[in-house]
Amino acid sequence: MQFASRLDNVETSAIRELFKLLGTPGIISFAGGFPDSAMFDVEGLKEASAKALAEEPGGALQYGATEGYEPLRTQLSAFMKTKGVEVDPSGLIVTTGSQQALDLLGKTLISPGDKVIVEGPTFLATIQCFRLYGAQLISAPVDADGVRTDELEKLIAEHKPKFVYLIPTFGNPSGAMLSLERRRKVIEMAVRYQTLIVEDDPYGDLYFDQAPPPSIMALTQDVPGSRALVAHCGSLSKVLSPGLRIGWMIGPAELLAKATMCKQFSDAHTSTFAQATAAQYLKSGRMPATLAHVREVYAERARAMGEALRRELGDAITFTQPGGGLFFWARLTGAGGKVADANVLAKRAIEKLVAFVPGAPFFAEKPDVATLRLSFATANVDKIREGIARLGSAL
């Protein structure tokens, strides 16, 4: 069978391949990028789905508008307002998870050979998705304060990209948080070079001790002409339930119109039942308490993982303690003659019944084989301590 040539440069997810090994009895996994199912507000979702069926069964069970279920768009508009973004319900579209928003961006913006700047490292599915549409990906380096704006500006000036894709708040996999100063610089660059900035924000509500700076989208209100140069992707997957598959995209009207057209061809619309359930949940007012609980649990697990890494691996590893999100991004130093290749360590770790994701696949260019990603979301504190001890033994 002859497949489309666009598949030639796309590989299956290294993470999905790793999951095949995770069924081994007794394994402790830090590999997944998903939230802890024990954190789901099951009762709240039960009530929300029951209300959706009781109050508007036709709307919840019938075909719906491609742009999204109107009550949900209204609730998402209000949700974004609590985060400093003023957007009319008509100014956003509902997507099947924020993953679909990335696919729609690829479909509407990328022609084969177009240049797109991403962070190095960045979300693996973004690399795969944009390459599927023929993008030439260019990596902008990241440090503890997010993308390095000095290097980013050089790359924008040199390559004149179709757009720049960033995960500025507790990024996957970097865990980094773009500083307020750098966020403002990104907006200034968007205006100066008339370049679209795509802000992906699935983790921004998962902060620990203090809230992150306002989103890039929120900060556009301070810079005339910048709002039309920023698209914002949001999601309920990490804060409520991935199974609902509810995401959204805010952006320039012409972009949303093209994205809606492409979505019609793809899935007609996101599940109306899921949208109606999400709308009732947001309307119920339960989200703040849910977020407070999730933040407390994840903060404790992140502290435990940081302490265990320092204790068990010492100077053989370096990392920045995350202030939110789901991930540690670390780098092996090779100190004391220990292994400095995460791919080698990953195989040894599986033998010790602990799993993580090597970092190389998260780079669109010049992969760093010494890097690795660890998620603390789905393991309790005792499992984290035991798992990191096993990792230390493997090292």
mmCIF file with all atom_site columns, all heavy atoms in Angstrom, residues 265-291:
data_model
loop_
_atom_site.group_PDB
_atom_site.id
_atom_site.type_symbol
_atom_site.label_atom_id
_atom_site.label_alt_id
_atom_site.label_comp_id
_atom_site.label_asym_id
_atom_site.label_entity_id
_atom_site.label_seq_id
_atom_site.pdbx_PDB_ins_code
_atom_site.Cartn_x
_atom_site.Cartn_y
_atom_site.Cartn_z
_atom_site.occupancy
_atom_site.B_iso_or_equiv
_atom_site.pdbx_formal_charge
_atom_site.auth_seq_id
_atom_site.auth_comp_id
_atom_site.auth_asym_id
_atom_site.auth_atom_id
_atom_site.pdbx_PDB_model_num
ATOM 1   N N   . PHE A 1 265 ? -14.671 19.647 8.216  1.00 0.00 ? 265 PHE A N   1
ATOM 2   C CA  . PHE A 1 265 ? -14.244 18.488 7.441  1.00 0.00 ? 265 PHE A CA  1
ATOM 3   C C   . PHE A 1 265 ? -13.741 17.364 8.349  1.00 0.00 ? 265 PHE A C   1
ATOM 4   O O   . PHE A 1 265 ? -13.764 16.196 7.969  1.00 0.00 ? 265 PHE A O   1
ATOM 5   C CB  . PHE A 1 265 ? -13.098 18.855 6.483  1.00 0.00 ? 265 PHE A CB  1
ATOM 6   C CG  . PHE A 1 265 ? -13.349 20.080 5.656  1.00 0.00 ? 265 PHE A CG  1
ATOM 7   C CD1 . PHE A 1 265 ? -12.291 20.888 5.259  1.00 0.00 ? 265 PHE A CD1 1
ATOM 8   C CD2 . PHE A 1 265 ? -14.638 20.447 5.275  1.00 0.00 ? 265 PHE A CD2 1
ATOM 9   C CE1 . PHE A 1 265 ? -12.499 22.025 4.482  1.00 0.00 ? 265 PHE A CE1 1
ATOM 10  C CE2 . PHE A 1 265 ? -14.855 21.581 4.502  1.00 0.00 ? 265 PHE A CE2 1
ATOM 11  C CZ  . PHE A 1 265 ? -13.795 22.377 4.111  1.00 0.00 ? 265 PHE A CZ  1
ATOM 12  N N   . SER A 1 266 ? -13.272 17.738 9.540  1.00 0.00 ? 266 SER A N   1
ATOM 13  C CA  . SER A 1 266 ? -12.609 16.791 10.427 1.00 0.00 ? 266 SER A CA  1
ATOM 14  C C   . SER A 1 266 ? -13.585 16.009 11.300 1.00 0.00 ? 266 SER A C   1
ATOM 15  O O   . SER A 1 266 ? -13.622 14.779 11.267 1.00 0.00 ? 266 SER A O   1
ATOM 16  C CB  . SER A 1 266 ? -11.597 17.537 11.302 1.00 0.00 ? 266 SER A CB  1
ATOM 17  O OG  . SER A 1 266 ? -10.978 16.680 12.213 1.00 0.00 ? 266 SER A OG  1
ATOM 18  N N   . ASP A 1 267 ? -14.367 16.737 12.117 1.00 0.00 ? 267 ASP A N   1
ATOM 19  C CA  . ASP A 1 267 ? -15.256 16.028 13.055 1.00 0.00 ? 267 ASP A CA  1
ATOM 20  C C   . ASP A 1 267 ? -16.647 16.666 13.180 1.00 0.00 ? 267 ASP A C   1
ATOM 21  O O   . ASP A 1 267 ? -17.408 16.292 14.069 1.00 0.00 ? 267 ASP A O   1
ATOM 22  C CB  . ASP A 1 267 ? -14.608 15.925 14.439 1.00 0.00 ? 267 ASP A CB  1
ATOM 23  C CG  . ASP A 1 267 ? -14.375 17.278 15.103 1.00 0.00 ? 267 ASP A CG  1
ATOM 24  O OD1 . ASP A 1 267 ? -14.714 18.316 14.494 1.00 0.00 ? 267 ASP A OD1 1
ATOM 25  O OD2 . ASP A 1 267 ? -13.861 17.305 16.232 1.00 0.00 ? 267 ASP A OD2 1
ATOM 26  N N   . ALA A 1 268 ? -16.948 17.612 12.306 1.00 0.00 ? 268 ALA A N   1
ATOM 27  C CA  . ALA A 1 268 ? -18.228 18.344 12.320 1.00 0.00 ? 268 ALA A CA  1
ATOM 28  C C   . ALA A 1 268 ? -18.351 19.241 13.537 1.00 0.00 ? 268 ALA A C   1
ATOM 29  O O   . ALA A 1 268 ? -18.627 20.439 13.434 1.00 0.00 ? 268 ALA A O   1
ATOM 30  C CB  . ALA A 1 268 ? -19.429 17.411 12.212 1.00 0.00 ? 268 ALA A CB  1
ATOM 31  N N   . HIS A 1 269 ? -18.123 18.684 14.715 1.00 0.00 ? 269 HIS A N   1
ATOM 32  C CA  . HIS A 1 269 ? -18.105 19.470 15.952 1.00 0.00 ? 269 HIS A CA  1
ATOM 33  C C   . HIS A 1 269 ? -17.598 18.581 17.083 1.00 0.00 ? 269 HIS A C   1
ATOM 34  O O   . HIS A 1 269 ? -17.665 17.344 17.008 1.00 0.00 ? 269 HIS A O   1
ATOM 35  C CB  . HIS A 1 269 ? -19.499 20.022 16.300 1.00 0.00 ? 269 HIS A CB  1
ATOM 36  C CG  . HIS A 1 269 ? -20.545 18.949 16.463 1.00 0.00 ? 269 HIS A CG  1
ATOM 37  N ND1 . HIS A 1 269 ? -20.666 18.172 17.601 1.00 0.00 ? 269 HIS A ND1 1
ATOM 38  C CD2 . HIS A 1 269 ? -21.510 18.503 15.614 1.00 0.00 ? 269 HIS A CD2 1
ATOM 39  C CE1 . HIS A 1 269 ? -21.665 17.319 17.464 1.00 0.00 ? 269 HIS A CE1 1
ATOM 40  N NE2 . HIS A 1 269 ? -22.190 17.491 16.256 1.00 0.00 ? 269 HIS A NE2 1
ATOM 41  N N   . THR A 1 270 ? -17.111 19.207 18.133 1.00 0.00 ? 270 THR A N   1
ATOM 42  C CA  . THR A 1 270 ? -16.729 18.482 19.345 1.00 0.00 ? 270 THR A CA  1
ATOM 43  C C   . THR A 1 270 ? -17.998 17.926 19.991 1.00 0.00 ? 270 THR A C   1
ATOM 44  O O   . THR A 1 270 ? -19.066 18.541 19.902 1.00 0.00 ? 270 THR A O   1
ATOM 45  C CB  . THR A 1 270 ? -16.002 19.437 20.307 1.00 0.00 ? 270 THR A CB  1
ATOM 46  O OG1 . THR A 1 270 ? -14.811 19.919 19.669 1.00 0.00 ? 270 THR A OG1 1
ATOM 47  C CG2 . THR A 1 270 ? -15.618 18.746 21.607 1.00 0.00 ? 270 THR A CG2 1
ATOM 48  N N   . SER A 1 271 ? -17.900 16.776 20.632 1.00 0.00 ? 271 SER A N   1
ATOM 49  C CA  . SER A 1 271 ? -19.049 16.128 21.263 1.00 0.00 ? 271 SER A CA  1
ATOM 50  C C   . SER A 1 271 ? -19.940 17.131 21.993 1.00 0.00 ? 271 SER A C   1
ATOM 51  O O   . SER A 1 271 ? -19.493 17.795 22.931 1.00 0.00 ? 271 SER A O   1
ATOM 52  C CB  . SER A 1 271 ? -18.573 15.068 22.258 1.00 0.00 ? 271 SER A CB  1
ATOM 53  O OG  . SER A 1 271 ? -19.608 14.705 23.157 1.00 0.00 ? 271 SER A OG  1
ATOM 54  N N   . THR A 1 272 ? -21.201 17.234 21.571 1.00 0.00 ? 272 THR A N   1
ATOM 55  C CA  . THR A 1 272 ? -22.115 18.174 22.218 1.00 0.00 ? 272 THR A CA  1
ATOM 56  C C   . THR A 1 272 ? -22.417 17.750 23.654 1.00 0.00 ? 272 THR A C   1
ATOM 57  O O   . THR A 1 272 ? -22.598 18.596 24.532 1.00 0.00 ? 272 THR A O   1
ATOM 58  C CB  . THR A 1 272 ? -23.430 18.307 21.429 1.00 0.00 ? 272 THR A CB  1
ATOM 59  O OG1 . THR A 1 272 ? -23.918 17.009 21.105 1.00 0.00 ? 272 THR A OG1 1
ATOM 60  C CG2 . THR A 1 272 ? -23.221 19.101 20.154 1.00 0.00 ? 272 THR A CG2 1
ATOM 61  N N   . PHE A 1 273 ? -22.453 16.444 23.912 1.00 0.00 ? 273 PHE A N   1
ATOM 62  C CA  . PHE A 1 273 ? -22.708 15.984 25.278 1.00 0.00 ? 273 PHE A CA  1
ATOM 63  C C   . PHE A 1 273 ? -21.557 16.378 26.205 1.00 0.00 ? 273 PHE A C   1
ATOM 64  O O   . PHE A 1 273 ? -21.764 16.851 27.326 1.00 0.00 ? 273 PHE A O   1
ATOM 65  C CB  . PHE A 1 273 ? -22.907 14.465 25.296 1.00 0.00 ? 273 PHE A CB  1
ATOM 66  C CG  . PHE A 1 273 ? -23.201 13.917 26.663 1.00 0.00 ? 273 PHE A CG  1
ATOM 67  C CD1 . PHE A 1 273 ? -24.291 14.369 27.388 1.00 0.00 ? 273 PHE A CD1 1
ATOM 68  C CD2 . PHE A 1 273 ? -22.392 12.955 27.228 1.00 0.00 ? 273 PHE A CD2 1
ATOM 69  C CE1 . PHE A 1 273 ? -24.568 13.863 28.657 1.00 0.00 ? 273 PHE A CE1 1
ATOM 70  C CE2 . PHE A 1 273 ? -22.654 12.443 28.483 1.00 0.00 ? 273 PHE A CE2 1
ATOM 71  C CZ  . PHE A 1 273 ? -23.747 12.894 29.207 1.00 0.00 ? 273 PHE A CZ  1
ATOM 72  N N   . ALA A 1 274 ? -20.327 16.206 25.712 1.00 0.00 ? 274 ALA A N   1
ATOM 73  C CA  . ALA A 1 274 ? -19.167 16.620 26.503 1.00 0.00 ? 274 ALA A CA  1
ATOM 74  C C   . ALA A 1 274 ? -19.176 18.128 26.716 1.00 0.00 ? 274 ALA A C   1
ATOM 75  O O   . ALA A 1 274 ? -18.880 18.621 27.823 1.00 0.00 ? 274 ALA A O   1
ATOM 76  C CB  . ALA A 1 274 ? -17.877 16.188 25.814 1.00 0.00 ? 274 ALA A CB  1
ATOM 77  N N   . GLN A 1 275 ? -19.528 18.881 25.682 1.00 0.00 ? 275 GLN A N   1
ATOM 78  C CA  . GLN A 1 275 ? -19.573 20.335 25.810 1.00 0.00 ? 275 GLN A CA  1
ATOM 79  C C   . GLN A 1 275 ? -20.646 20.781 26.797 1.00 0.00 ? 275 GLN A C   1
ATOM 80  O O   . GLN A 1 275 ? -20.424 21.682 27.618 1.00 0.00 ? 275 GLN A O   1
ATOM 81  C CB  . GLN A 1 275 ? -19.852 20.983 24.450 1.00 0.00 ? 275 GLN A CB  1
ATOM 82  C CG  . GLN A 1 275 ? -18.714 20.884 23.457 1.00 0.00 ? 275 GLN A CG  1
ATOM 83  C CD  . GLN A 1 275 ? -19.017 21.694 22.214 1.00 0.00 ? 275 GLN A CD  1
ATOM 84  O OE1 . GLN A 1 275 ? -18.921 22.925 22.231 1.00 0.00 ? 275 GLN A OE1 1
ATOM 85  N NE2 . GLN A 1 275 ? -19.371 21.019 21.138 1.00 0.00 ? 275 GLN A NE2 1
ATOM 86  N N   . ALA A 1 276 ? -21.821 20.162 26.723 1.00 0.00 ? 276 ALA A N   1
ATOM 87  C CA  . ALA A 1 276 ? -22.904 20.518 27.634 1.00 0.00 ? 276 ALA A CA  1
ATOM 88  C C   . ALA A 1 276 ? -22.537 20.185 29.070 1.00 0.00 ? 276 ALA A C   1
ATOM 89  O O   . ALA A 1 276 ? -22.846 20.950 30.008 1.00 0.00 ? 276 ALA A O   1
ATOM 90  C CB  . ALA A 1 276 ? -24.187 19.793 27.227 1.00 0.00 ? 276 ALA A CB  1
ATOM 91  N N   . THR A 1 277 ? -21.857 19.050 29.265 1.00 0.00 ? 277 THR A N   1
ATOM 92  C CA  . THR A 1 277 ? -21.401 18.671 30.612 1.00 0.00 ? 277 THR A CA  1
ATOM 93  C C   . THR A 1 277 ? -20.383 19.683 31.136 1.00 0.00 ? 277 THR A C   1
ATOM 94  O O   . THR A 1 277 ? -20.469 20.137 32.286 1.00 0.00 ? 277 THR A O   1
ATOM 95  C CB  . THR A 1 277 ? -20.778 17.261 30.577 1.00 0.00 ? 277 THR A CB  1
ATOM 96  O OG1 . THR A 1 277 ? -21.771 16.316 30.165 1.00 0.00 ? 277 THR A OG1 1
ATOM 97  C CG2 . THR A 1 277 ? -20.241 16.871 31.947 1.00 0.00 ? 277 THR A CG2 1
ATOM 98  N N   . ALA A 1 278 ? -19.432 20.058 30.297 1.00 0.00 ? 278 ALA A N   1
ATOM 99  C CA  . ALA A 1 278 ? -18.425 21.039 30.704 1.00 0.00 ? 278 ALA A CA  1
ATOM 100 C C   . ALA A 1 278 ? -19.058 22.389 31.013 1.00 0.00 ? 278 ALA A C   1
ATOM 101 O O   . ALA A 1 278 ? -18.674 23.068 31.976 1.00 0.00 ? 278 ALA A O   1
ATOM 102 C CB  . ALA A 1 278 ? -17.365 21.191 29.615 1.00 0.00 ? 278 ALA A CB  1
ATOM 103 N N   . ALA A 1 279 ? -20.036 22.786 30.213 1.00 0.00 ? 279 ALA A N   1
ATOM 104 C CA  . ALA A 1 279 ? -20.717 24.066 30.446 1.00 0.00 ? 279 ALA A CA  1
ATOM 105 C C   . ALA A 1 279 ? -21.410 24.067 31.798 1.00 0.00 ? 279 ALA A C   1
ATOM 106 O O   . ALA A 1 279 ? -21.319 25.045 32.560 1.00 0.00 ? 279 ALA A O   1
ATOM 107 C CB  . ALA A 1 279 ? -21.724 24.328 29.329 1.00 0.00 ? 279 ALA A CB  1
ATOM 108 N N   . GLN A 1 280 ? -22.110 22.974 32.117 1.00 0.00 ? 280 GLN A N   1
ATOM 109 C CA  . GLN A 1 280 ? -22.799 22.890 33.408 1.00 0.00 ? 280 GLN A CA  1
ATOM 110 C C   . GLN A 1 280 ? -21.800 22.865 34.559 1.00 0.00 ? 280 GLN A C   1
ATOM 111 O O   . GLN A 1 280 ? -22.046 23.459 35.617 1.00 0.00 ? 280 GLN A O   1
ATOM 112 C CB  . GLN A 1 280 ? -23.679 21.635 33.444 1.00 0.00 ? 280 GLN A CB  1
ATOM 113 C CG  . GLN A 1 280 ? -24.910 21.700 32.560 1.00 0.00 ? 280 GLN A CG  1
ATOM 114 C CD  . GLN A 1 280 ? -25.976 22.660 33.084 1.00 0.00 ? 280 GLN A CD  1
ATOM 115 O OE1 . GLN A 1 280 ? -25.896 23.166 34.198 1.00 0.00 ? 280 GLN A OE1 1
ATOM 116 N NE2 . GLN A 1 280 ? -26.983 22.918 32.260 1.00 0.00 ? 280 GLN A NE2 1
ATOM 117 N N   . TYR A 1 281 ? -20.662 22.204 34.348 1.00 0.00 ? 281 TYR A N   1
ATOM 118 C CA  . TYR A 1 281 ? -19.650 22.154 35.417 1.00 0.00 ? 281 TYR A CA  1
ATOM 119 C C   . TYR A 1 281 ? -19.089 23.552 35.695 1.00 0.00 ? 281 TYR A C   1
ATOM 120 O O   . TYR A 1 281 ? -18.992 23.970 36.855 1.00 0.00 ? 281 TYR A O   1
ATOM 121 C CB  . TYR A 1 281 ? -18.515 21.199 35.042 1.00 0.00 ? 281 TYR A CB  1
ATOM 122 C CG  . TYR A 1 281 ? -17.582 20.956 36.207 1.00 0.00 ? 281 TYR A CG  1
ATOM 123 C CD1 . TYR A 1 281 ? -17.825 19.927 37.096 1.00 0.00 ? 281 TYR A CD1 1
ATOM 124 C CD2 . TYR A 1 281 ? -16.479 21.781 36.447 1.00 0.00 ? 281 TYR A CD2 1
ATOM 125 C CE1 . TYR A 1 281 ? -17.001 19.713 38.195 1.00 0.00 ? 281 TYR A CE1 1
ATOM 126 C CE2 . TYR A 1 281 ? -15.658 21.580 37.528 1.00 0.00 ? 281 TYR A CE2 1
ATOM 127 C CZ  . TYR A 1 281 ? -15.926 20.549 38.406 1.00 0.00 ? 281 TYR A CZ  1
ATOM 128 O OH  . TYR A 1 281 ? -15.123 20.360 39.503 1.00 0.00 ? 281 TYR A OH  1
ATOM 129 N N   . LEU A 1 282 ? -18.716 24.265 34.650 1.00 0.00 ? 282 LEU A N   1
ATOM 130 C CA  . LEU A 1 282 ? -18.177 25.614 34.842 1.00 0.00 ? 282 LEU A CA  1
ATOM 131 C C   . LEU A 1 282 ? -19.226 26.532 35.477 1.00 0.00 ? 282 LEU A C   1
ATOM 132 O O   . LEU A 1 282 ? -18.910 27.368 36.327 1.00 0.00 ? 282 LEU A O   1
ATOM 133 C CB  . LEU A 1 282 ? -17.705 26.181 33.506 1.00 0.00 ? 282 LEU A CB  1
ATOM 134 C CG  . LEU A 1 282 ? -16.450 25.520 32.906 1.00 0.00 ? 282 LEU A CG  1
ATOM 135 C CD1 . LEU A 1 282 ? -16.206 26.022 31.491 1.00 0.00 ? 282 LEU A CD1 1
ATOM 136 C CD2 . LEU A 1 282 ? -15.233 25.756 33.778 1.00 0.00 ? 282 LEU A CD2 1
ATOM 137 N N   . LYS A 1 283 ? -20.465 26.354 35.083 1.00 0.00 ? 283 LYS A N   1
ATOM 138 C CA  . LYS A 1 283 ? -21.561 27.165 35.622 1.00 0.00 ? 283 LYS A CA  1
ATOM 139 C C   . LYS A 1 283 ? -21.802 26.874 37.103 1.00 0.00 ? 283 LYS A C   1
ATOM 140 O O   . LYS A 1 283 ? -22.226 27.752 37.859 1.00 0.00 ? 283 LYS A O   1
ATOM 141 C CB  . LYS A 1 283 ? -22.837 26.880 34.819 1.00 0.00 ? 283 LYS A CB  1
ATOM 142 C CG  . LYS A 1 283 ? -24.033 27.742 35.179 1.00 0.00 ? 283 LYS A CG  1
ATOM 143 C CD  . LYS A 1 283 ? -25.214 27.367 34.288 1.00 0.00 ? 283 LYS A CD  1
ATOM 144 C CE  . LYS A 1 283 ? -26.466 28.142 34.683 1.00 0.00 ? 283 LYS A CE  1
ATOM 145 N NZ  . LYS A 1 283 ? -27.625 27.737 33.844 1.00 0.00 ? 283 LYS A NZ  1
ATOM 146 N N   . SER A 1 284 ? -21.502 25.646 37.528 1.00 0.00 ? 284 SER A N   1
ATOM 147 C CA  . SER A 1 284 ? -21.782 25.229 38.912 1.00 0.00 ? 284 SER A CA  1
ATOM 148 C C   . SER A 1 284 ? -20.923 25.935 39.944 1.00 0.00 ? 284 SER A C   1
ATOM 149 O O   . SER A 1 284 ? -21.243 25.948 41.130 1.00 0.00 ? 284 SER A O   1
ATOM 150 C CB  . SER A 1 284 ? -21.582 23.713 39.049 1.00 0.00 ? 284 SER A CB  1
ATOM 151 O OG  . SER A 1 284 ? -20.191 23.385 39.043 1.00 0.00 ? 284 SER A OG  1
ATOM 152 N N   . GLY A 1 285 ? -19.783 26.472 39.514 1.00 0.00 ? 285 GLY A N   1
ATOM 153 C CA  . GLY A 1 285 ? -18.888 27.141 40.457 1.00 0.00 ? 285 GLY A CA  1
ATOM 154 C C   . GLY A 1 285 ? -17.969 26.216 41.227 1.00 0.00 ? 285 GLY A C   1
ATOM 155 O O   . GLY A 1 285 ? -17.315 26.639 42.187 1.00 0.00 ? 285 GLY A O   1
ATOM 156 N N   . ARG A 1 286 ? -17.867 24.958 40.804 1.00 0.00 ? 286 ARG A N   1
ATOM 157 C CA  . ARG A 1 286 ? -17.014 23.988 41.510 1.00 0.00 ? 286 ARG A CA  1
ATOM 158 C C   . ARG A 1 286 ? -15.545 24.070 41.098 1.00 0.00 ? 286 ARG A C   1
ATOM 159 O O   . ARG A 1 286 ? -14.676 23.528 41.788 1.00 0.00 ? 286 ARG A O   1
ATOM 160 C CB  . ARG A 1 286 ? -17.521 22.566 41.263 1.00 0.00 ? 286 ARG A CB  1
ATOM 161 C CG  . ARG A 1 286 ? -18.892 22.297 41.860 1.00 0.00 ? 286 ARG A CG  1
ATOM 162 C CD  . ARG A 1 286 ? -19.368 20.881 41.539 1.00 0.00 ? 286 ARG A CD  1
ATOM 163 N NE  . ARG A 1 286 ? -18.571 19.863 42.211 1.00 0.00 ? 286 ARG A NE  1
ATOM 164 C CZ  . ARG A 1 286 ? -19.040 19.073 43.186 1.00 0.00 ? 286 ARG A CZ  1
ATOM 165 N NH1 . ARG A 1 286 ? -20.272 19.201 43.626 1.00 0.00 ? 286 ARG A NH1 1
ATOM 166 N NH2 . ARG A 1 286 ? -18.258 18.147 43.724 1.00 0.00 ? 286 ARG A NH2 1
ATOM 167 N N   . MET A 1 287 ? -15.251 24.721 39.987 1.00 0.00 ? 287 MET A N   1
ATOM 168 C CA  . MET A 1 287 ? -13.891 24.711 39.464 1.00 0.00 ? 287 MET A CA  1
ATOM 169 C C   . MET A 1 287 ? -12.853 25.288 40.436 1.00 0.00 ? 287 MET A C   1
ATOM 170 O O   . MET A 1 287 ? -11.772 24.695 40.605 1.00 0.00 ? 287 MET A O   1
ATOM 171 C CB  . MET A 1 287 ? -13.821 25.439 38.123 1.00 0.00 ? 287 MET A CB  1
ATOM 172 C CG  . MET A 1 287 ? -12.433 25.423 37.477 1.00 0.00 ? 287 MET A CG  1
ATOM 173 S SD  . MET A 1 287 ? -11.857 23.772 37.034 1.00 0.00 ? 287 MET A SD  1
ATOM 174 C CE  . MET A 1 287 ? -12.449 23.684 35.356 1.00 0.00 ? 287 MET A CE  1
ATOM 175 N N   . PRO A 1 288 ? -13.093 26.416 41.098 1.00 0.00 ? 288 PRO A N   1
ATOM 176 C CA  . PRO A 1 288 ? -12.065 26.947 42.004 1.00 0.00 ? 288 PRO A CA  1
ATOM 177 C C   . PRO A 1 288 ? -11.637 25.962 43.091 1.00 0.00 ? 288 PRO A C   1
ATOM 178 O O   . PRO A 1 288 ? -10.437 25.824 43.365 1.00 0.00 ? 288 PRO A O   1
ATOM 179 C CB  . PRO A 1 288 ? -12.735 28.192 42.592 1.00 0.00 ? 288 PRO A CB  1
ATOM 180 C CG  . PRO A 1 288 ? -13.692 28.636 41.542 1.00 0.00 ? 288 PRO A CG  1
ATOM 181 C CD  . PRO A 1 288 ? -14.224 27.356 40.953 1.00 0.00 ? 288 PRO A CD  1
ATOM 182 N N   . ALA A 1 289 ? -12.587 25.257 43.683 1.00 0.00 ? 289 ALA A N   1
ATOM 183 C CA  . ALA A 1 289 ? -12.238 24.292 44.732 1.00 0.00 ? 289 ALA A CA  1
ATOM 184 C C   . ALA A 1 289 ? -11.488 23.104 44.144 1.00 0.00 ? 289 ALA A C   1
ATOM 185 O O   . ALA A 1 289 ? -10.537 22.583 44.756 1.00 0.00 ? 289 ALA A O   1
ATOM 186 C CB  . ALA A 1 289 ? -13.508 23.812 45.444 1.00 0.00 ? 289 ALA A CB  1
ATOM 187 N N   . THR A 1 290 ? -11.897 22.676 42.950 1.00 0.00 ? 290 THR A N   1
ATOM 188 C CA  . THR A 1 290 ? -11.194 21.580 42.274 1.00 0.00 ? 290 THR A CA  1
ATOM 189 C C   . THR A 1 290 ? -9.748  21.956 42.004 1.00 0.00 ? 290 THR A C   1
ATOM 190 O O   . THR A 1 290 ? -8.815  21.182 42.277 1.00 0.00 ? 290 THR A O   1
ATOM 191 C CB  . THR A 1 290 ? -11.905 21.228 40.953 1.00 0.00 ? 290 THR A CB  1
ATOM 192 O OG1 . THR A 1 290 ? -13.205 20.725 41.241 1.00 0.00 ? 290 THR A OG1 1
ATOM 193 C CG2 . THR A 1 290 ? -11.129 20.188 40.166 1.00 0.00 ? 290 THR A CG2 1
ATOM 194 N N   . LEU A 1 291 ? -9.533  23.161 41.484 1.00 0.00 ? 291 LEU A N   1
ATOM 195 C CA  . LEU A 1 291 ? -8.181  23.619 41.189 1.00 0.00 ? 291 LEU A CA  1
ATOM 196 C C   . LEU A 1 291 ? -7.339  23.735 42.461 1.00 0.00 ? 291 LEU A C   1
ATOM 197 O O   . LEU A 1 291 ? -6.161  23.367 42.471 1.00 0.00 ? 291 LEU A O   1
ATOM 198 C CB  . LEU A 1 291 ? -8.231  24.968 40.472 1.00 0.00 ? 291 LEU A CB  1
ATOM 199 C CG  . LEU A 1 291 ? -8.624  24.922 38.993 1.00 0.00 ? 291 LEU A CG  1
ATOM 200 C CD1 . LEU A 1 291 ? -8.812  26.338 38.452 1.00 0.00 ? 291 LEU A CD1 1
ATOM 201 C CD2 . LEU A 1 291 ? -7.581  24.180 38.169 1.00 0.00 ? 291 LEU A CD2 1
#
